[in-house]
Amino acid sequence: VQLQASGGGSVQAGGSLRLSCAAFGRTFSRYVMGWFRQAPGKEREFVARISGSATSTYYADSVKGRFTISRDNAKNTVYLQMNSLKPEDTAVYFCAAGRGTAVVPGGYDYWGQGTLVTVSS
């Protein structure tokens, strides 16, 4: 599976962005899809994941209630709607595909190239 993330940009605090991750492969719906982020000088951290059938989602406490993960299996795409953005959300955001329910990077097999989100105060 090849992944291509897009939708990053610069926004003021309180604003919104929607990230997209297009997957290229015929078995997209079999994968759990996750979003991670990495701020400068920090480790990559889990943001959200969604099951293959989109019936189950899970979020990091830091984004719960502000971010929403969704997917469209017909379009082989996963989304991350980010609302009420804060300066601490500034990071490179990565999408990833895996088989389990991991919240650590090692639990995912395929990664997109990352898209930069910058939130100014």
Side-chain angles (χ1 to χ4, degrees), residues 7-11 17 19 115-119:
S10 297
V11 64
L17 282 175
L19 306 183
T115 184
L116 178 62
V117 172
T118 303
V119 184

Side-chain angles (χ1 to χ4, degrees), residues 30-107:
R30 298 181 185 179
Y31 289 93
V32 171
M33 296 300 297
W35 285 97
F36 287 76
R37 66 186 181 186
Q38 188 165 17
K42 295 188 177 180
E43 293 185 352
R44 193 168 297 189
E45 66 172 1
F46 171 79
V47 175
R49 70 162 188 258
I50 187 168
S51 63
S53 61
T55 55
S56 175
T57 58
Y58 184 75
Y59 297 90
D61 287 343
S62 59
V63 307
K64 200 174 296 182
R66 300 189 297 121
F67 290 11
T68 302
I69 189 171
S70 61
R71 68 190 295 163
D72 185 337
N73 286 343
K75 296 182 178 180
N76 279 16
T77 302
V78 63
Y79 305 96
L80 186 69
Q81 178 66 45
M82 305 186 296
N83 299 328
S84 302
L85 282 161
K86 304 176 182 179
E88 51 263 43
D89 294 318
T90 295
V92 176
Y93 283 71
F94 298 88
C95 58
R99 297 283 193 174
T101 57
V103 295
V104 294

